[in-house]
PDB file of all heavy atoms in Angstrom:
ATOM      1  N   GLY Q 336      89.868  98.553  86.774  1.00 86.00           N
ATOM      2  CA  GLY Q 336      90.521  97.244  86.310  1.00 86.00           C
ATOM      3  C   GLY Q 336      89.628  96.022  86.320  1.00 86.00           C
ATOM      4  O   GLY Q 336      90.083  94.968  86.041  1.00 86.00           O
ATOM      5  N   ALA Q 337      88.360  96.270  86.572  1.00 94.00           N
ATOM      6  CA  ALA Q 337      87.403  95.099  86.504  1.00 94.00           C
ATOM      7  C   ALA Q 337      86.320  95.334  85.597  1.00 94.00           C
ATOM      8  O   ALA Q 337      85.742  96.496  85.546  1.00 94.00           O
ATOM      9  CB  ALA Q 337      86.862  94.828  87.972  1.00 94.00           C
ATOM     10  N   TRP Q 338      85.890  94.358  84.803  1.00 96.00           N
ATOM     11  CA  TRP Q 338      84.778  94.424  83.823  1.00 96.00           C
ATOM     12  C   TRP Q 338      83.620  93.792  84.442  1.00 96.00           C
ATOM     13  O   TRP Q 338      83.711  92.691  85.177  1.00 96.00           O
ATOM     14  CB  TRP Q 338      85.217  93.804  82.519  1.00 96.00           C
ATOM     15  CG  TRP Q 338      86.343  94.402  81.856  1.00 96.00           C
ATOM     16  CD1 TRP Q 338      87.642  94.340  82.157  1.00 96.00           C
ATOM     17  CD2 TRP Q 338      86.233  95.256  80.725  1.00 96.00           C
ATOM     18  NE1 TRP Q 338      88.408  95.002  81.298  1.00 96.00           N
ATOM     19  CE2 TRP Q 338      87.593  95.682  80.348  1.00 96.00           C
ATOM     20  CE3 TRP Q 338      85.272  95.803  79.878  1.00 96.00           C
ATOM     21  CZ2 TRP Q 338      87.921  96.465  79.267  1.00 96.00           C
ATOM     22  CZ3 TRP Q 338      85.514  96.616  78.911  1.00 96.00           C
ATOM     23  CH2 TRP Q 338      86.807  96.928  78.476  1.00 96.00           C
ATOM     24  N   THR Q 339      82.449  94.378  84.166  1.00 97.00           N
ATOM     25  CA  THR Q 339      81.200  93.759  84.674  1.00 97.00           C
ATOM     26  C   THR Q 339      80.254  93.477  83.556  1.00 97.00           C
ATOM     27  O   THR Q 339      79.971  94.250  82.676  1.00 97.00           O
ATOM     28  CB  THR Q 339      80.512  94.715  85.718  1.00 97.00           C
ATOM     29  OG1 THR Q 339      81.437  94.922  86.733  1.00 97.00           O
ATOM     30  CG2 THR Q 339      79.251  94.082  86.201  1.00 97.00           C
ATOM     31  N   ASN Q 340      79.547  92.274  83.577  1.00 97.00           N
ATOM     32  CA  ASN Q 340      78.459  91.944  82.788  1.00 97.00           C
ATOM     33  C   ASN Q 340      77.178  91.838  83.648  1.00 97.00           C
ATOM     34  O   ASN Q 340      77.327  91.399  84.781  1.00 97.00           O
ATOM     35  CB  ASN Q 340      78.651  90.674  81.982  1.00 97.00           C
ATOM     36  CG  ASN Q 340      79.589  90.695  80.875  1.00 97.00           C
ATOM     37  OD1 ASN Q 340      79.901  91.845  80.290  1.00 97.00           O
ATOM     38  ND2 ASN Q 340      80.257  89.643  80.414  1.00 97.00           N
ATOM     39  N   LEU Q 341      76.125  92.375  83.167  1.00 97.00           N
ATOM     40  CA  LEU Q 341      74.883  92.418  83.902  1.00 97.00           C
ATOM     41  C   LEU Q 341      73.939  91.302  83.252  1.00 97.00           C
ATOM     42  O   LEU Q 341      73.754  91.241  82.102  1.00 97.00           O
ATOM     43  CB  LEU Q 341      74.153  93.699  83.914  1.00 97.00           C
ATOM     44  CG  LEU Q 341      75.022  94.857  84.389  1.00 97.00           C
ATOM     45  CD1 LEU Q 341      74.286  96.281  84.162  1.00 97.00           C
ATOM     46  CD2 LEU Q 341      75.408  94.658  85.887  1.00 97.00           C
ATOM     47  N   ALA Q 342      73.171  90.548  84.122  1.00 95.00           N
ATOM     48  CA  ALA Q 342      72.166  89.720  83.602  1.00 95.00           C
ATOM     49  C   ALA Q 342      71.047  90.459  82.784  1.00 95.00           C
ATOM     50  O   ALA Q 342      70.637  91.457  83.177  1.00 95.00           O
ATOM     51  CB  ALA Q 342      71.543  88.948  84.714  1.00 95.00           C
ATOM     52  N   ASN Q 343      70.782  89.942  81.630  1.00 95.00           N
ATOM     53  CA  ASN Q 343      69.802  90.597  80.748  1.00 95.00           C
ATOM     54  C   ASN Q 343      68.330  90.267  81.188  1.00 95.00           C
ATOM     55  O   ASN Q 343      67.976  89.121  81.085  1.00 95.00           O
ATOM     56  CB  ASN Q 343      70.002  90.178  79.309  1.00 95.00           C
ATOM     57  CG  ASN Q 343      69.061  90.812  78.316  1.00 95.00           C
ATOM     58  OD1 ASN Q 343      68.059  91.445  78.681  1.00 95.00           O
ATOM     59  ND2 ASN Q 343      69.386  90.683  77.024  1.00 95.00           N
ATOM     60  N   PRO Q 344      67.590  91.186  81.715  1.00 92.00           N
ATOM     61  CA  PRO Q 344      66.283  90.837  82.350  1.00 92.00           C
ATOM     62  C   PRO Q 344      65.236  90.355  81.279  1.00 92.00           C
ATOM     63  O   PRO Q 344      64.502  89.417  81.600  1.00 92.00           O
ATOM     64  CB  PRO Q 344      65.841  92.168  83.062  1.00 92.00           C
ATOM     65  CG  PRO Q 344      66.610  93.206  82.336  1.00 92.00           C
ATOM     66  CD  PRO Q 344      67.892  92.536  81.952  1.00 92.00           C
ATOM     67  N   ASP Q 345      65.313  90.941  80.071  1.00 89.00           N
ATOM     68  CA  ASP Q 345      64.347  90.551  79.036  1.00 89.00           C
ATOM     69  C   ASP Q 345      64.666  89.109  78.698  1.00 89.00           C
ATOM     70  O   ASP Q 345      63.752  88.306  78.433  1.00 89.00           O
ATOM     71  CB  ASP Q 345      64.472  91.439  77.927  1.00 89.00           C
ATOM     72  CG  ASP Q 345      63.458  91.124  76.822  1.00 89.00           C
ATOM     73  OD1 ASP Q 345      62.184  91.337  77.043  1.00 89.00           O
ATOM     74  OD2 ASP Q 345      63.861  90.665  75.727  1.00 89.00           O
ATOM     75  N   PHE Q 346      66.038  88.785  78.481  1.00 89.00           N
ATOM     76  CA  PHE Q 346      66.358  87.424  78.148  1.00 89.00           C
ATOM     77  C   PHE Q 346      66.021  86.387  79.296  1.00 89.00           C
ATOM     78  O   PHE Q 346      65.490  85.324  79.036  1.00 89.00           O
ATOM     79  CB  PHE Q 346      67.900  87.433  77.963  1.00 89.00           C
ATOM     80  CG  PHE Q 346      68.436  86.162  77.428  1.00 89.00           C
ATOM     81  CD1 PHE Q 346      68.635  85.899  76.030  1.00 89.00           C
ATOM     82  CD2 PHE Q 346      68.859  85.118  78.329  1.00 89.00           C
ATOM     83  CE1 PHE Q 346      69.123  84.688  75.568  1.00 89.00           C
ATOM     84  CE2 PHE Q 346      69.277  83.943  77.777  1.00 89.00           C
ATOM     85  CZ  PHE Q 346      69.556  83.810  76.495  1.00 89.00           C
ATOM     86  N   ALA Q 347      66.265  86.871  80.546  1.00 86.00           N
ATOM     87  CA  ALA Q 347      65.972  85.994  81.696  1.00 86.00           C
ATOM     88  C   ALA Q 347      64.494  85.692  81.848  1.00 86.00           C
ATOM     89  O   ALA Q 347      64.157  84.688  82.286  1.00 86.00           O
ATOM     90  CB  ALA Q 347      66.488  86.640  82.966  1.00 86.00           C
ATOM     91  N   GLU Q 348      63.690  86.693  81.349  1.00 87.00           N
ATOM     92  CA  GLU Q 348      62.231  86.426  81.507  1.00 87.00           C
ATOM     93  C   GLU Q 348      61.768  85.299  80.625  1.00 87.00           C
ATOM     94  O   GLU Q 348      60.820  84.524  80.974  1.00 87.00           O
ATOM     95  CB  GLU Q 348      61.487  87.695  81.091  1.00 87.00           C
ATOM     96  CG  GLU Q 348      60.018  87.634  81.233  1.00 87.00           C
ATOM     97  CD  GLU Q 348      59.344  88.932  80.770  1.00 87.00           C
ATOM     98  OE1 GLU Q 348      59.970  89.986  80.856  1.00 87.00           O
ATOM     99  OE2 GLU Q 348      58.207  88.934  80.373  1.00 87.00           O
ATOM    100  N   ARG Q 349      62.526  84.913  79.568  1.00 89.00           N
ATOM    101  CA  ARG Q 349      62.111  83.980  78.696  1.00 89.00           C
ATOM    102  C   ARG Q 349      62.937  82.645  78.774  1.00 89.00           C
ATOM    103  O   ARG Q 349      62.397  81.594  78.454  1.00 89.00           O
ATOM    104  CB  ARG Q 349      62.190  84.509  77.194  1.00 89.00           C
ATOM    105  CG  ARG Q 349      61.197  85.445  76.907  1.00 89.00           C
ATOM    106  CD  ARG Q 349      61.518  86.447  75.799  1.00 89.00           C
ATOM    107  NE  ARG Q 349      60.499  87.428  75.561  1.00 89.00           N
ATOM    108  CZ  ARG Q 349      60.275  88.461  76.363  1.00 89.00           C
ATOM    109  NH1 ARG Q 349      60.998  88.711  77.472  1.00 89.00           N
ATOM    110  NH2 ARG Q 349      59.267  89.333  76.095  1.00 89.00           N
ATOM    111  N   PHE Q 350      64.205  82.796  79.242  1.00 90.00           N
ATOM    112  CA  PHE Q 350      64.975  81.615  79.370  1.00 90.00           C
ATOM    113  C   PHE Q 350      65.414  81.229  80.923  1.00 90.00           C
ATOM    114  O   PHE Q 350      65.965  80.249  81.067  1.00 90.00           O
ATOM    115  CB  PHE Q 350      66.325  81.831  78.593  1.00 90.00           C
ATOM    116  CG  PHE Q 350      66.090  81.880  77.122  1.00 90.00           C
ATOM    117  CD1 PHE Q 350      65.926  83.116  76.497  1.00 90.00           C
ATOM    118  CD2 PHE Q 350      66.000  80.793  76.289  1.00 90.00           C
ATOM    119  CE1 PHE Q 350      65.829  83.210  75.071  1.00 90.00           C
ATOM    120  CE2 PHE Q 350      65.822  80.903  74.992  1.00 90.00           C
ATOM    121  CZ  PHE Q 350      65.746  82.119  74.405  1.00 90.00           C
ATOM    122  N   GLY Q 351      64.942  82.064  81.804  1.00 87.00           N
ATOM    123  CA  GLY Q 351      65.309  81.805  83.189  1.00 87.00           C
ATOM    124  C   GLY Q 351      66.408  82.661  83.657  1.00 87.00           C
ATOM    125  O   GLY Q 351      67.394  82.834  82.976  1.00 87.00           O
TER     126      GLY Q 351
END
Side-chain angles (χ1 to χ4, degrees):
W338 296 77
T339 300
N340 285 338
L341 304 175
N343 182 346
D345 185 70
F346 186 93
E348 183 179 338
R349 288 153 181 81
F350 293 95

